[in-house]
Amino acid sequence: MLCSACSARRDWLLINRGRHVWIVCRCGHQWLEPEIRRADFDALVGAPDWTHHDSVQEGLVALGFDGAFAGLYLG
Ligand SMILES: [Zn+2]
């Protein structure tokens, strides 16, 4: 996996919505990642390089992804 906009391979925010996992890159690009299943998501957020947040908004703010994309994940 890598960001199609800036080619970053990490430092993403992963957002689990139901059965789907969205990735938000620090460059602002976001995409649905169908290859990540829930089990993979759990493994990723449990890895040392990833931080788990209890809510999407909390994660967005904490990681500096505040504001611009938050509305996409409501509801
Ligand atoms: Zn990017």
Side-chain angles (χ1 to χ4, degrees), residues 7-28:
S7 298
R9 292 180 179 275
R10 50 173 289 168
D11 202 19
W12 299 325
L13 175 64
L14 274 68
I15 299 175
N16 190 338
R17 300 296 290 175
R19 295 185 301 114
H20 302 291
V21 175
W22 289 82
I23 294 177
V24 182
C25 181
R26 285 199 180 278
C27 75

Side-chain angles (χ1 to χ4, degrees), residues 1-70:
M1 295 186 293
L2 78 170
C3 175
S4 61
C6 74
S7 298
R9 292 180 179 275
R10 50 173 289 168
D11 202 19
W12 299 325
L13 175 64
L14 274 68
I15 299 175
N16 190 338
R17 300 296 290 175
R19 295 185 301 114
H20 302 291
V21 175
W22 289 82
I23 294 177
V24 182
C25 181
R26 285 199 180 278
C27 75
H29 187 62
Q30 75 278 343
W31 67 97
L32 178 65
E33 183 53 71
E35 294 184 3
I36 297 181
R37 294 182 302 274
R38 180 56 194 263
D40 298 321
F41 178 89
D42 289 340
L44 282 170
V45 299
D49 286 345
W50 300 91
T51 301
H52 177 264
H53 295 278
D54 291 332
S55 73
V56 170
Q57 187 61 45
E58 177 187 342
L60 288 169
V61 173
L63 296 172
F65 295 93
D66 56 316
F69 305 105

